[in-house]
Amino acid sequence: MVASALLPWVLLTGVLNGSTRGLLELRGRMLDERQLVERDRVRALAHRITLGLLVAAAIGAGAYSTLADAPLRAAVTPVLVGVLAAHWMMPLWVAALRVQDEPADDLADAS
């Protein structure tokens, strides 16, 4: 099952990286000031979203173990895998959703 999901995952990640023009993949010295500020904003927003997901996952796992009268261990592994995947990909998803057009060149406007 994991192998069948790997190809779409890789293709989607490539498309998202392409749409953000490498904002999260390039080193800081290769980005201008505007891109550095945008990357910092994206990372901060992604970490806030991931924190909310983690809190919701912890509450959900606790509620599941209480309501289903099952050991917490039964709910923890799927929750941890889901939150890890979200934490790993969240900056890229946020960057792809916030992507803006490049600013117009002054030389192109003058001609």
XYZ file of all heavy atoms in Angstrom:
828
model
N 0.826 -1.187 0.000
C 0.000 0.000 0.000
C 0.875 1.258 0.000
O 0.557 2.227 -0.693
C -0.917 -0.016 1.209
C -1.871 1.119 1.224
S -3.174 0.806 2.390
C -3.672 2.424 2.738
N 1.945 1.244 0.759
C 2.832 2.394 0.808
C 3.495 2.612 -0.551
O 3.624 3.747 -1.015
C 3.895 2.218 1.917
C 4.925 3.328 1.860
C 3.228 2.179 3.284
N 3.897 1.520 -1.202
C 4.549 1.638 -2.503
C 3.605 2.228 -3.548
O 4.031 3.005 -4.401
C 5.059 0.272 -2.953
N 2.328 1.903 -3.489
C 1.379 2.448 -4.457
C 1.114 3.933 -4.218
O 0.765 4.652 -5.146
C 0.072 1.660 -4.425
O -0.560 1.832 -3.168
N 1.269 4.397 -3.009
C 1.068 5.812 -2.700
C 2.331 6.635 -2.921
O 2.268 7.863 -2.967
C 0.606 5.967 -1.252
N 3.473 5.972 -3.084
C 4.741 6.689 -3.204
C 4.826 7.506 -4.487
O 5.246 8.668 -4.453
C 5.906 5.698 -3.122
C 7.298 6.322 -3.093
C 7.453 7.174 -1.852
C 8.349 5.235 -3.120
N 4.436 6.958 -5.616
C 4.534 7.687 -6.882
C 3.659 8.943 -6.891
O 4.165 10.032 -7.208
C 4.187 6.770 -8.059
C 4.280 7.432 -9.428
C 5.698 7.887 -9.714
C 3.787 6.482 -10.500
N 2.370 8.869 -6.522
C 1.592 10.119 -6.472
C 2.148 11.122 -5.459
O 2.128 12.332 -5.711
C 0.188 9.666 -6.075
C 0.127 8.218 -6.379
C 1.519 7.707 -6.285
N 2.657 10.623 -4.344
C 3.240 11.506 -3.316
C 4.424 12.267 -3.893
O 4.537 13.484 -3.726
C 3.673 10.663 -2.127
C 4.257 11.423 -0.996
C 5.532 11.891 -0.888
C 3.612 11.801 0.210
N 5.709 12.535 0.303
C 4.543 12.492 0.998
C 2.336 11.609 0.698
C 4.229 12.998 2.240
C 2.037 12.119 1.956
C 2.969 12.801 2.701
N 5.314 11.566 -4.588
C 6.504 12.193 -5.168
C 6.102 13.200 -6.246
O 6.648 14.302 -6.305
C 7.458 11.113 -5.730
C 8.562 11.732 -6.556
C 8.045 10.300 -4.592
N 5.160 12.839 -7.103
C 4.717 13.754 -8.153
C 4.060 15.007 -7.565
O 4.345 16.126 -8.010
C 3.751 13.045 -9.092
C 4.371 11.957 -9.976
C 3.289 11.238 -10.763
C 5.416 12.536 -10.895
N 3.212 14.830 -6.572
C 2.559 15.973 -5.939
C 3.580 16.882 -5.256
O 3.498 18.101 -5.356
C 1.509 15.505 -4.927
C 0.764 16.611 -4.188
C -0.044 17.463 -5.159
C -0.142 16.026 -3.130
N 4.544 16.292 -4.585
C 5.582 17.091 -3.926
C 6.380 17.875 -4.958
O 6.717 19.048 -4.744
C 6.505 16.182 -3.093
O 5.712 15.494 -2.127
C 7.564 16.995 -2.375
N 6.689 17.263 -6.088
C 7.409 17.961 -7.155
C 6.614 19.121 -7.723
O 7.165 20.199 -7.976
N 5.316 18.920 -7.910
C 4.465 19.999 -8.412
C 4.406 21.150 -7.408
O 4.507 22.324 -7.774
C 3.044 19.465 -8.729
C 2.070 20.594 -8.980
C 3.094 18.532 -9.921
N 4.256 20.820 -6.125
C 4.198 21.870 -5.098
C 5.524 22.615 -4.997
O 5.542 23.845 -4.854
C 3.812 21.271 -3.746
C 2.378 20.750 -3.638
C 2.163 20.082 -2.286
C 1.381 21.849 -3.866
N 6.646 21.902 -5.055
C 7.954 22.565 -5.035
C 8.120 23.466 -6.252
O 8.684 24.559 -6.149
C 9.086 21.537 -4.990
C 9.393 21.093 -3.593
O 9.236 21.835 -2.639
N 9.824 19.853 -3.464
N 7.641 23.011 -7.394
C 7.728 23.836 -8.596
C 6.881 25.090 -8.495
O 7.280 26.160 -8.963
N 5.712 24.972 -7.901
C 4.834 26.138 -7.798
C 5.375 27.185 -6.823
O 5.085 28.367 -6.967
C 3.425 25.717 -7.385
O 3.393 25.318 -6.032
N 6.153 26.751 -5.852
C 6.733 27.709 -4.898
C 8.110 28.189 -5.335
O 8.743 28.970 -4.639
C 6.855 27.083 -3.494
O 7.728 25.963 -3.556
C 5.509 26.694 -2.956
N 8.569 27.715 -6.489
C 9.871 28.081 -7.044
C 11.008 27.826 -6.069
O 11.939 28.610 -5.944
C 9.853 29.540 -7.506
C 8.910 29.777 -8.667
C 8.799 31.220 -9.060
N 8.207 32.111 -8.074
C 6.907 32.219 -7.812
N 6.059 31.470 -8.460
N 6.454 33.060 -6.919
N 10.919 26.722 -5.331
C 12.001 26.320 -4.440
C 12.139 27.147 -3.188
O 13.201 27.167 -2.571
N 11.087 27.807 -2.784
C 11.148 28.697 -1.615
C 11.679 27.988 -0.378
O 12.479 28.541 0.370
C 9.764 29.277 -1.327
C 9.656 30.247 -0.162
C 10.384 31.535 -0.502
C 8.215 30.537 0.153
N 11.268 26.751 -0.167
C 11.677 26.021 1.026
C 12.908 25.157 0.784
O 13.522 24.682 1.737
C 10.527 25.151 1.526
C 9.275 25.917 1.921
C 8.123 24.971 2.171
C 9.537 26.770 3.138
N 13.253 24.928 -0.467
C 14.360 24.027 -0.784
C 15.689 24.749 -0.984
O 16.738 24.157 -0.790
C 14.026 23.224 -2.050
C 12.750 22.426 -1.937
C 12.789 21.397 -0.823
O 13.850 20.782 -0.621
O 11.762 21.222 -0.149
N 15.647 26.012 -1.393
C 16.877 26.749 -1.673
C 17.513 27.253 -0.387
O 16.839 27.525 0.605
C 16.576 27.933 -2.595
C 16.102 27.576 -3.998
C 15.722 28.839 -4.750
C 17.158 26.806 -4.761
N 18.804 27.390 -0.428
C 19.533 27.944 0.724
C 19.217 29.432 0.865
O 18.872 30.103 -0.099
C 21.027 27.746 0.542
C 21.427 26.298 0.552
C 22.943 26.198 0.503
N 23.370 24.830 0.396
C 23.648 24.051 1.429
N 23.562 24.543 2.653
N 24.033 22.816 1.260
N 19.393 29.938 2.081
C 19.074 31.328 2.369
C 19.862 32.323 1.552
O 19.352 33.380 1.181
N 21.098 32.007 1.216
C 21.922 32.957 0.459
C 21.471 33.076 -1.000
O 21.877 33.989 -1.698
C 23.387 32.573 0.535
C 23.725 31.267 -0.119
C 25.237 31.003 -0.050
N 25.572 29.758 -0.682
C 25.780 28.617 -0.052
N 25.700 28.581 1.265
N 26.083 27.526 -0.710
N 20.631 32.152 -1.458
C 20.149 32.191 -2.835
C 18.826 32.944 -2.963
O 18.341 33.161 -4.061
C 19.981 30.768 -3.371
C 21.276 29.991 -3.398
S 21.065 28.343 -4.016
C 20.974 28.701 -5.767
N 18.240 33.345 -1.827
C 16.952 34.026 -1.823
C 17.147 35.512 -1.545
O 18.065 35.907 -0.825
C 16.037 33.427 -0.752
C 15.735 31.933 -0.880
C 14.960 31.457 0.328
C 14.995 31.625 -2.158
N 16.259 36.341 -2.091
C 16.318 37.758 -1.765
C 15.553 38.011 -0.455
O 14.991 37.096 0.130
C 15.796 38.613 -2.917
C 14.337 38.351 -3.259
O 13.631 37.756 -2.433
O 13.909 38.758 -4.351
N 15.550 39.274 -0.023
C 14.946 39.602 1.271
C 13.460 39.280 1.314
O 12.942 38.784 2.319
C 15.155 41.092 1.598
C 16.587 41.483 1.847
C 17.346 41.764 0.554
O 16.701 41.944 -0.512
O 18.578 41.778 0.585
N 12.749 39.562 0.225
C 11.321 39.290 0.172
C 11.051 37.798 0.309
O 10.157 37.378 1.038
C 10.747 39.803 -1.154
C 9.262 39.586 -1.317
C 8.801 39.926 -2.719
N 9.500 39.182 -3.745
C 9.211 37.927 -4.113
N 8.239 37.281 -3.525
N 9.895 37.330 -5.057
N 11.857 36.986 -0.345
C 11.678 35.538 -0.275
C 12.022 35.002 1.113
O 11.375 34.078 1.608
C 12.525 34.851 -1.338
C 12.033 35.098 -2.749
C 13.026 34.634 -3.786
O 14.233 34.791 -3.619
N 12.509 34.071 -4.868
N 13.037 35.573 1.742
C 13.401 35.142 3.098
C 12.274 35.438 4.089
O 11.961 34.613 4.942
C 14.697 35.819 3.544
C 15.966 35.330 2.868
C 17.142 36.227 3.228
C 16.254 33.890 3.248
N 11.680 36.626 3.960
C 10.562 36.986 4.844
C 9.388 36.058 4.599
O 8.751 35.573 5.540
C 10.166 38.468 4.635
C 8.846 38.786 5.313
C 11.265 39.380 5.144
N 9.088 35.776 3.324
C 7.970 34.883 3.000
C 8.226 33.479 3.535
O 7.330 32.830 4.057
C 7.738 34.840 1.487
C 6.593 33.970 1.067
C 5.241 34.433 1.582
O 5.079 35.624 1.920
O 4.324 33.599 1.661
N 9.461 32.992 3.424
C 9.790 31.656 3.939
C 9.613 31.600 5.452
O 9.078 30.629 5.991
C 11.215 31.270 3.556
C 11.559 29.865 4.006
C 12.853 29.389 3.463
N 13.967 30.143 4.003
C 15.226 29.867 3.743
N 15.546 28.891 2.919
N 16.182 30.590 4.276
N 10.034 32.656 6.151
C 9.852 32.683 7.606
C 8.371 32.704 7.981
O 7.957 32.030 8.927
C 10.561 33.895 8.208
C 12.068 33.765 8.168
O 12.573 32.634 7.992
O 12.753 34.802 8.291
N 7.565 33.469 7.238
C 6.122 33.508 7.501
C 5.482 32.147 7.268
O 4.639 31.696 8.040
C 5.443 34.539 6.608
C 5.670 35.952 7.021
C 4.914 36.894 6.112
N 5.255 38.273 6.423
C 5.170 39.257 5.563
N 4.751 39.029 4.329
N 5.497 40.476 5.917
N 5.874 31.495 6.188
C 5.323 30.184 5.854
C 5.666 29.178 6.944
O 4.815 28.414 7.400
C 5.847 29.720 4.478
C 5.660 28.234 4.279
C 5.164 30.497 3.370
N 6.907 29.166 7.373
C 7.313 28.216 8.416
C 6.595 28.479 9.731
O 6.174 27.547 10.417
C 8.824 28.265 8.608
C 9.572 27.600 7.486
C 11.049 27.603 7.733
N 11.745 26.867 6.688
C 13.026 26.966 6.462
N 13.782 27.762 7.200
N 13.589 26.273 5.488
N 6.445 29.743 10.099
C 5.751 30.072 11.353
C 4.284 29.645 11.293
O 3.769 29.040 12.241
C 5.860 31.566 11.637
N 3.615 29.930 10.185
C 2.217 29.538 10.042
C 2.078 28.019 10.024
O 1.177 27.462 10.654
C 1.623 30.143 8.774
C 0.164 29.814 8.490
C -0.731 30.289 9.636
C -0.264 30.449 7.176
N 2.975 27.337 9.337
C 2.931 25.872 9.280
C 3.126 25.262 10.666
O 2.450 24.293 11.018
C 3.992 25.356 8.320
N 4.017 25.835 11.457
C 4.234 25.300 12.805
C 3.026 25.545 13.705
O 2.690 24.700 14.535
C 5.506 25.874 13.419
C 6.748 25.282 12.844
N 7.076 23.956 12.984
C 7.730 25.825 12.105
C 8.217 23.704 12.364
N 8.622 24.825 11.809
N 2.351 26.683 13.534
C 1.133 26.921 14.314
C 0.034 25.935 13.929
O -0.672 25.417 14.789
C 0.654 28.361 14.131
C 1.445 29.360 14.933
C 0.757 30.704 14.913
N 0.734 31.249 13.568
C 1.458 32.278 13.151
N 2.241 32.901 13.989
N 1.378 32.705 11.915
N -0.118 25.673 12.640
C -1.127 24.712 12.194
C -0.795 23.319 12.705
O -1.672 22.589 13.181
C -1.233 24.730 10.658
C -1.813 26.059 10.177
C -2.091 23.567 10.160
C -1.737 26.251 8.684
N 0.473 22.940 12.625
C 0.894 21.626 13.098
C 0.676 21.489 14.606
O 0.279 20.428 15.080
C 2.367 21.363 12.746
O 2.525 21.492 11.335
C 2.799 19.973 13.165
N 0.927 22.554 15.358
C 0.672 22.517 16.795
C -0.809 22.271 17.065
O -1.164 21.448 17.925
C 1.117 23.816 17.460
C 0.798 23.951 18.946
C 1.544 22.902 19.755
C 1.111 25.334 19.438
N -1.675 22.946 16.324
C -3.116 22.713 16.481
C -3.503 21.280 16.151
O -4.306 20.662 16.847
N -2.916 20.734 15.071
C -3.180 19.335 14.722
C -2.695 18.385 15.803
O -3.362 17.393 16.114
C -2.502 18.990 13.396
C -3.147 19.515 12.133
C -2.269 19.203 10.929
C -4.520 18.919 11.952
N -1.550 18.670 16.364
C -0.995 17.812 17.414
C -1.875 17.833 18.656
O -2.147 16.780 19.252
C 0.429 18.240 17.750
C 1.195 17.391 18.745
C 1.273 15.950 18.263
C 2.581 17.944 18.948
N -2.339 19.014 19.049
C -3.230 19.120 20.208
C -4.543 18.388 19.939
O -5.037 17.628 20.785
C -3.476 20.605 20.573
C -4.602 20.756 21.572
C -2.200 21.234 21.101
N -5.103 18.583 18.733
C -6.352 17.897 18.386
C -6.149 16.383 18.342
O -7.018 15.621 18.773
C -6.861 18.392 17.038
N -4.997 15.927 17.838
C -4.718 14.492 17.783
C -4.578 13.905 19.183
O -5.063 12.799 19.452
C -3.451 14.234 16.974
N -3.925 14.635 20.078
C -3.773 14.146 21.442
C -5.134 14.065 22.142
O -5.428 13.075 22.835
C -2.826 15.056 22.221
N -5.955 15.086 21.960
C -7.298 15.065 22.558
C -8.130 13.948 21.945
O -8.835 13.216 22.654
C -7.979 16.432 22.394
C -7.269 17.473 23.258
C -9.464 16.364 22.728
C -7.705 18.894 23.000
N -8.041 13.786 20.621
C -8.785 12.727 19.947
C -8.361 11.339 20.384
O -9.202 10.456 20.603
N -7.053 11.109 20.529
C -6.567 9.801 20.979
C -7.014 9.530 22.415
O -7.411 8.408 22.753
C -5.047 9.733 20.866
N -6.952 10.554 23.260
C -7.424 10.385 24.637
C -8.917 10.110 24.700
O -9.369 9.258 25.470
N -9.694 10.825 23.884
C -11.139 10.602 23.865
C -11.463 9.211 23.331
O -12.357 8.539 23.848
C -11.817 11.667 23.009
N -10.730 8.770 22.316
C -10.953 7.425 21.771
C -10.694 6.364 22.823
O -11.476 5.436 22.989
C -10.051 7.190 20.557
C -10.028 5.756 20.101
C -11.075 5.228 19.367
C -8.952 4.921 20.423
C -11.063 3.913 18.957
C -8.931 3.598 20.018
C -9.991 3.092 19.283
O -9.979 1.790 18.883
N -9.582 6.500 23.536
C -9.263 5.484 24.542
C -10.273 5.498 25.685
O -10.577 4.459 26.256
C -7.847 5.684 25.081
O -7.767 6.840 25.873
N -10.819 6.659 26.007
C -11.809 6.746 27.075
C -13.167 6.204 26.622
O -13.781 5.396 27.320
C -11.969 8.206 27.528
O -10.703 8.687 27.978
C -12.975 8.327 28.655
N -13.615 6.639 25.456
C -14.947 6.252 24.982
C -15.003 4.799 24.518
O -16.011 4.125 24.709
C -15.398 7.173 23.853
C -15.593 8.638 24.248
C -15.906 9.482 23.019
C -16.690 8.777 25.288
N -13.933 4.317 23.905
C -13.935 2.942 23.397
C -13.446 1.958 24.444
O -13.447 0.753 24.200
C -13.064 2.844 22.155
N -13.031 2.470 25.584
C -12.492 1.642 26.659
C -11.369 0.738 26.137
O -11.292 -0.438 26.444
C -13.594 0.814 27.319
C -13.161 0.330 28.698
O -12.309 1.006 29.315
O -13.665 -0.720 29.137
N -10.543 1.342 25.295
C -9.404 0.638 24.703
C -8.125 1.266 25.243
O -8.133 2.420 25.680
C -9.440 0.765 23.183
N -7.052 0.518 25.224
C -5.793 1.109 25.690
C -5.358 2.244 24.757
O -5.595 2.198 23.547
C -4.796 -0.048 25.655
C -5.389 -1.055 24.743
C -6.871 -0.871 24.798
N -4.769 3.248 25.325
C -4.306 4.402 24.554
C -3.310 3.976 23.484
O -3.229 4.576 22.425
C -3.685 5.435 25.497
C -3.246 6.748 24.878
C -4.453 7.456 24.262
C -2.587 7.628 25.911
N -2.596 2.917 23.739
C -1.593 2.413 22.804
C -2.213 2.084 21.445
O -1.581 2.236 20.412
C -0.930 1.184 23.409
C 0.141 0.570 22.582
C 0.785 -0.595 23.296
N -0.249 -1.560 23.683
C -0.161 -2.349 24.746
N 0.891 -2.282 25.535
N -1.119 -3.200 25.039
N -3.472 1.673 21.415
C -4.134 1.311 20.158
C -4.348 2.522 19.254
O -4.384 2.387 18.038
C -5.469 0.643 20.444
N -4.481 3.702 19.827
C -4.740 4.900 19.037
C -3.491 5.721 18.750
O -3.514 6.569 17.864
C -5.759 5.772 19.757
N -2.429 5.486 19.473
C -1.272 6.365 19.380
C -0.506 6.203 18.070
O -0.140 7.196 17.442
C -0.336 6.151 20.596
C 0.989 6.830 20.395
C -1.006 6.676 21.845
N -0.275 4.994 17.620
C 0.546 4.791 16.427
C -0.061 5.448 15.188
O 0.634 6.205 14.507
C 0.798 3.295 16.193
O 1.454 2.759 17.338
C 1.658 3.078 14.964
N -1.331 5.219 14.854
C -1.871 5.900 13.674
C -1.879 7.420 13.813
O -1.638 8.136 12.845
C -3.292 5.367 13.544
C -3.417 4.235 14.473
C -2.292 4.288 15.427
N -2.145 7.896 15.002
C -2.155 9.340 15.229
C -0.762 9.918 15.046
O -0.586 10.954 14.394
C -2.719 9.663 16.630
C -2.459 11.106 17.005
C -4.201 9.358 16.685
N 0.245 9.258 15.590
C 1.614 9.755 15.448
C 2.079 9.748 13.993
O 2.740 10.683 13.549
C 2.569 8.929 16.303
C 2.501 9.182 17.802
C 3.474 8.267 18.540
C 2.816 10.627 18.120
N 1.742 8.723 13.244
C 2.129 8.670 11.833
C 1.447 9.796 11.060
O 2.084 10.475 10.239
C 1.785 7.286 11.232
C 1.936 7.295 9.726
C 2.663 6.207 11.843
N 0.183 10.017 11.316
C -0.531 11.097 10.631
C 0.015 12.474 10.968
O 0.190 13.318 10.087
N 0.297 12.714 12.224
C 0.829 14.014 12.635
C 2.250 14.200 12.106
O 2.621 15.308 11.696
C 0.766 14.170 14.171
C 1.524 15.391 14.630
C -0.675 14.255 14.618
N 3.052 13.133 12.080
C 4.402 13.242 11.519
C 4.345 13.611 10.044
O 5.089 14.488 9.588
C 5.164 11.932 11.712
C 6.553 11.897 11.073
C 7.467 12.906 11.738
C 7.145 10.512 11.152
N 3.471 12.985 9.280
C 3.338 13.304 7.857
C 2.874 14.752 7.670
O 3.384 15.467 6.803
C 2.373 12.341 7.187
N 1.929 15.175 8.474
C 1.449 16.559 8.381
C 2.547 17.552 8.752
O 2.717 18.580 8.086
C 0.231 16.757 9.280
N 3.321 17.250 9.799
C 4.412 18.133 10.214
C 5.474 18.231 9.126
O 6.023 19.304 8.881
C 5.034 17.613 11.508
C 6.254 18.370 11.930
N 6.187 19.648 12.427
C 7.564 18.035 11.914
C 7.415 20.067 12.697
N 8.259 19.108 12.390
N 5.743 17.140 8.457
C 6.767 17.092 7.426
C 6.346 17.900 6.200
O 7.148 18.608 5.590
C 7.028 15.638 7.071
C 8.061 15.394 6.032
C 9.175 16.145 5.761
C 8.099 14.305 5.116
N 9.884 15.582 4.743
C 9.244 14.451 4.326
C 7.266 13.222 4.901
C 9.585 13.555 3.332
C 7.615 12.326 3.915
C 8.760 12.495 3.150
N 5.081 17.808 5.816
C 4.619 18.425 4.579
C 3.936 19.783 4.762
O 3.730 20.496 3.790
C 3.638 17.473 3.879
C 4.270 16.184 3.425
S 5.633 16.421 2.264
C 4.777 17.119 0.877
N 3.594 20.163 5.976
C 2.832 21.385 6.199
C 3.508 22.644 5.644
O 2.832 23.470 5.018
C 2.509 21.562 7.685
C 1.511 22.660 7.963
S -0.103 22.405 7.215
C -0.683 20.998 8.120
N 4.824 22.860 5.840
C 5.413 24.069 5.252
C 5.244 24.136 3.733
O 4.968 25.201 3.182
C 6.894 23.974 5.644
C 6.902 23.142 6.872
C 5.791 22.154 6.679
N 5.370 23.006 3.065
C 5.209 22.986 1.616
C 3.764 23.273 1.222
O 3.500 24.024 0.281
C 5.660 21.637 1.063
C 5.621 21.476 -0.445
C 6.483 22.534 -1.126
C 6.097 20.089 -0.824
N 2.797 22.705 1.933
C 1.384 22.965 1.634
C 1.046 24.431 1.856
O 0.362 25.045 1.045
C 0.492 22.085 2.492
C 0.579 20.628 2.204
C 1.005 20.028 1.057
C 0.250 19.571 3.094
N 0.953 18.663 1.191
C 0.496 18.353 2.421
C -0.229 19.520 4.388
C 0.270 17.111 3.002
C -0.459 18.288 4.969
C -0.206 17.108 4.280
N 1.513 24.992 2.957
C 1.231 26.401 3.255
C 1.890 27.294 2.211
O 1.278 28.247 1.717
C 1.699 26.764 4.679
C 1.638 28.259 4.917
C 0.858 26.038 5.711
N 3.124 27.000 1.836
C 3.814 27.800 0.826
C 3.090 27.727 -0.512
O 2.956 28.735 -1.209
C 5.255 27.325 0.666
N 2.610 26.555 -0.881
C 1.896 26.413 -2.155
C 0.578 27.183 -2.133
O 0.167 27.737 -3.156
C 1.650 24.936 -2.452
N -0.083 27.237 -0.980
C -1.338 27.977 -0.889
C -1.123 29.488 -0.851
O -1.994 30.247 -1.253
C -2.123 27.536 0.351
C -2.699 26.128 0.282
C -3.293 25.729 1.626
C -3.743 26.027 -0.817
N 0.038 29.919 -0.364
C 0.312 31.346 -0.230
C 1.148 31.905 -1.372
O 1.492 33.079 -1.359
C 1.041 31.620 1.077
C 0.213 31.403 2.308
C 1.017 31.657 3.560
N 1.762 32.887 3.531
C 1.381 34.013 4.145
N 0.266 34.028 4.830
N 2.127 35.097 4.081
N 1.480 31.095 -2.366
C 2.373 31.539 -3.433
C 1.782 32.748 -4.157
O 0.584 32.833 -4.392
C 2.688 30.385 -4.415
C 1.474 30.012 -5.233
C 3.845 30.737 -5.305
N 2.650 33.700 -4.438
C 2.249 34.916 -5.130
C 3.074 35.049 -6.402
O 4.141 34.457 -6.526
C 2.476 36.136 -4.242
C 1.672 36.122 -2.968
C 2.010 37.301 -2.072
O 2.856 38.106 -2.391
N 1.333 37.382 -0.943
N 2.596 35.856 -7.314
C 3.345 36.111 -8.533
C 4.604 36.896 -8.200
O 4.641 37.663 -7.238
C 2.508 36.909 -9.528
C 1.335 36.099 -10.057
O 1.439 34.857 -10.050
O 0.336 36.712 -10.465
N 5.610 36.703 -9.032
C 6.842 37.461 -8.860
C 6.555 38.940 -9.119
O 5.737 39.277 -9.971
C 7.908 36.958 -9.845
C 8.451 35.597 -9.505
C 9.314 35.625 -8.265
O 10.095 36.585 -8.059
O 9.201 34.687 -7.467
N 7.242 39.846 -8.403
C 7.042 41.274 -8.676
C 7.528 41.608 -10.087
O 8.490 41.042 -10.575
C 7.888 41.976 -7.608
C 8.791 40.947 -7.065
C 8.184 39.617 -7.340
N 6.830 42.512 -10.746
C 7.179 42.911 -12.107
C 8.501 43.664 -12.113
O 8.809 44.429 -11.197
C 6.075 43.759 -12.698
N 9.278 43.443 -13.161
C 10.543 44.182 -13.312
C 10.253 45.619 -13.683
O 9.367 45.903 -14.487
C 11.403 43.526 -14.398
C 11.937 42.169 -13.981
O 12.054 41.944 -12.760
O 12.242 41.356 -14.877
N 11.036 46.522 -13.156
C 10.877 47.944 -13.485
C 11.260 48.214 -14.931
O 10.694 49.076 -15.582
C 11.712 48.824 -12.544
C 11.170 48.788 -11.129
O 9.978 48.489 -10.970
O 11.944 49.061 -10.192
N 12.243 47.485 -15.446
C 12.685 47.681 -16.827
C 11.604 47.268 -17.824
O 11.414 47.884 -18.851
C 13.969 46.898 -17.082
C 15.192 47.340 -16.286
C 16.368 46.424 -16.558
C 15.533 48.781 -16.589
N 10.887 46.195 -17.521
C 9.825 45.746 -18.413
C 8.663 46.729 -18.427
O 8.010 46.926 -19.460
C 9.344 44.369 -18.003
N 8.407 47.397 -17.310
C 7.326 48.373 -17.231
C 7.686 49.673 -17.970
O 6.825 50.352 -18.500
C 6.992 48.710 -15.785
C 6.370 47.519 -15.056
O 5.823 46.618 -15.740
O 6.434 47.487 -13.814
N 8.976 49.994 -17.996
C 9.409 51.249 -18.602
C 9.363 51.193 -20.123
O 9.225 52.213 -20.777
C 10.832 51.583 -18.147
N 9.472 50.005 -20.724
C 9.496 49.944 -22.188
C 8.154 49.898 -22.822
O 7.140 50.023 -22.424
C 10.245 48.757 -22.724
O 10.423 47.714 -21.869
